[in-house]
């Protein structure tokens, strides 16, 4: 089998604005091997989804970005989110935690966020030139601002974790799921994603700009849109078009 193992080329920085930015500059300036990972102890301008910032206490959490050169076309770009979400979810499940992936890629324990993923892709025609998979995983942080519904491994387990051990475990699973992606095993990736998908097949409340409604998540389509059954129809939603209500 043509196994495409990720290179364990880890670059550790004591401080950086954003590991995603650092990785983007690195790819621009040098030849980077597939799997090169930038880790930092302190990130002072961390980026979150939708233009938000990502705050993380110094030295407490895992903050890193992995540079990938996946051979998928851009239509399947959402599988990168699936792959990264599954690698985090599996790492945390091994620790005995009940983890869920909230579409598109928030990692939750209960209804609190334990990790976030920011994937930035550089496209070239129909192909992905490179992809930067940025991950913030709350490990040993003990307090979070009240307005953020966040948690950490410490808060869930009551014991501190070695950052390096958690990271190595994550990287092992990333390698595994990346290989499934490269082999075109989309069905397997999708079925694993559904096993961990928050509110999958459950009636819950949602809202759009226009209305609030009850819906049941039926899955996601090939391009990553969320498929939701409502009382009388089935609709697809983009990230900006739907909000999860309590
Ligand atoms: C989210 O909003 O949920 C995504 C958060 C992603 C944060 C990580 S931390 C490492 C990498 N570098 C960044 O600037 N952001 C990502």
């Amino acid at each position: 089998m043509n196994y495409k193992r990720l290179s364990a080329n880890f670059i550790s920085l004591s401080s950086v604005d954003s590991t995603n930015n650092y990785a983007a500059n690195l790819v621009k300036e040098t030849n980077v091997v597939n799997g090169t990972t930038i880790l930092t102890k302190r990130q002072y301008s961390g980026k979150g989804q939708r233009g938000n910032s990502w705050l993380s206490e110094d030295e407490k959490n895992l903050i890193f970005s992995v540079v990938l050169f996946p051979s998928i076309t851009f239509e399947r770009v959402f599988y990168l989110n699936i792959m990264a979400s599954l690698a985090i979810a599996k790492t945390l499940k091994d620790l005995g935690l009940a983890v869920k992936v909230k579409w598109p890629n928030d990692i939750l324990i209960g209804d609190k966020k334990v990790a976030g993923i920011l994937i930035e892709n550089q496209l070239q025609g129909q192909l992905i030139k490179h992809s930067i998979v940025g991950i913030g995983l709350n490990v040993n942080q003990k307090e979070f601002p009240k307005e953020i519904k966040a948690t950490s491994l410490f808060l869930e387990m009551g014991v501190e974790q070695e950052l390096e051990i958690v990271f190595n475990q994550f990287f092992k699973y990333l390698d595994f799921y990346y290989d499934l992606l490269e082999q075109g095993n989309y069905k397997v990736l999708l079925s694993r994603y559904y096993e961990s998908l928050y509110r999958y097949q459950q009636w819950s409340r949602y809202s759009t700009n226009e209305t609030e409604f009850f819906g049941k998540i039926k899955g996601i389509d090939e391009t990553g849109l969320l498929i939701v059954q409502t009382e009388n129809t089935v609709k697809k939603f983009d990230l900006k078009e739907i909000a999860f209500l309590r």
Side-chain angles (χ1 to χ4, degrees):
M1 188 164 86
N2 179 19
Y3 187 79
K4 273 192 135 184
R5 175 137 270 153
L6 294 176
S7 141
N9 178 31
F10 304 137
I11 301 171
S12 289
L13 307 171
S14 50
S15 176
V16 72
D17 58 343
S18 152
T19 53
N20 269 34
N21 290 352
Y22 188 97
N25 288 328
L26 199 68
V27 186
K28 246 189 257 163
E29 286 157 15
T30 54
N31 278 332
V32 175
V33 290
N34 198 22
T36 294
T37 302
I38 321 301
L39 299 114
T40 192
K41 293 192 174 117
R42 174 171 177 264
Q43 183 172 249
Y44 51 85
S45 202
K47 301 188 291 184
Q49 292 163 26
R50 283 159 258 142
N52 291 325
S53 50
W54 181 258
L55 300 174
S56 178
E57 200 180 320
D58 296 353
E59 312 206 6
K60 296 285 182 195
N61 302 318
L62 281 169
I63 302 165
F64 59 92
S65 302
V66 186
V67 182
L68 297 174
F69 299 91
S71 44
I72 49 170
T73 55
F74 77 93
E75 291 100 333
R76 295 204 196 267
V77 76
F78 191 74
Y79 281 88
L80 291 166
N81 296 57
I82 293 181
M83 170 204 74
S85 304
L86 287 177
I88 303 174
K90 180 76 177 118
T91 305
L92 303 192
K93 280 181 189 173
D94 280 3
L95 295 170
L97 296 165
V99 190
K100 288 284 170 195
V101 180
K102 182 177 168 197
W103 175 88
N105 53 14
D106 286 347
I107 311 299
L108 304 184
I109 298 177
D111 61 353
K112 293 185 179 159
K113 185 158 162 173
V114 68
I117 304 169
L118 177 68
I119 301 183
E120 296 182 290
N121 299 303
Q122 176 85 51
L123 302 179
Q124 192 172 47
Q126 300 283 92
L127 295 174
I128 296 169
K129 201 168 164 202
H130 67 253
S131 175
I132 295 170
V133 179
I135 292 176
L137 169 59
N138 298 330
V139 180
N140 292 323
Q141 188 163 333
K142 297 185 176 62
E143 284 174 13
F144 293 90
K146 276 200 195 78
E147 60 278 11
I148 309 178
K149 281 205 130 213
T151 190
S152 66
L153 302 191
F154 176 84
L155 291 176
E156 298 300 322
M157 301 168 74
V159 277
E160 292 207 353
Q161 302 296 313
E162 284 279 348
L163 293 180
E164 198 179 326
I165 294 176
V166 180
F167 173 77
N168 287 340
Q169 194 69 353
F170 163 83
F171 198 79
K172 187 181 87 182
Y173 288 127
L174 185 74
D175 197 28
F176 173 78
Y177 290 115
Y178 182 72
D179 183 53
L180 286 183
L181 183 67
E182 288 294 289
Q183 303 297 334
N185 272 327
Y186 305 116
K187 272 194 179 156
V188 178
L189 285 165
L190 200 56
S191 69
R192 298 260 177 108
Y193 188 71
Y194 289 162
E195 281 168 19
S196 294
L197 189 59
Y198 177 68
R199 291 190 180 174
Y200 182 57
Q201 299 287 18
Q202 290 169 21
W203 285 100
S204 313
R205 288 178 62 225
Y206 298 91
S207 70
T208 61
N209 280 341
E210 292 103 48
T211 181
E212 282 188 22
F213 63 96
F214 269 95
K216 192 189 327 186
I217 295 178
K218 302 300 287 178
I220 57 160
D221 77 1
E222 282 298 297
T223 63
L225 296 178
L226 189 70
I227 304 165
V228 183
Q229 181 186 333
T230 64
E231 232 171 280
N232 38 28
T233 177
V234 176
K235 286 187 187 154
K236 290 184 181 183
F237 295 94
D238 198 351
L239 175 59
K240 288 166 233 114
E241 296 171 342
I242 186 166
F244 288 58
L245 301 177
R246 303 220 159 270

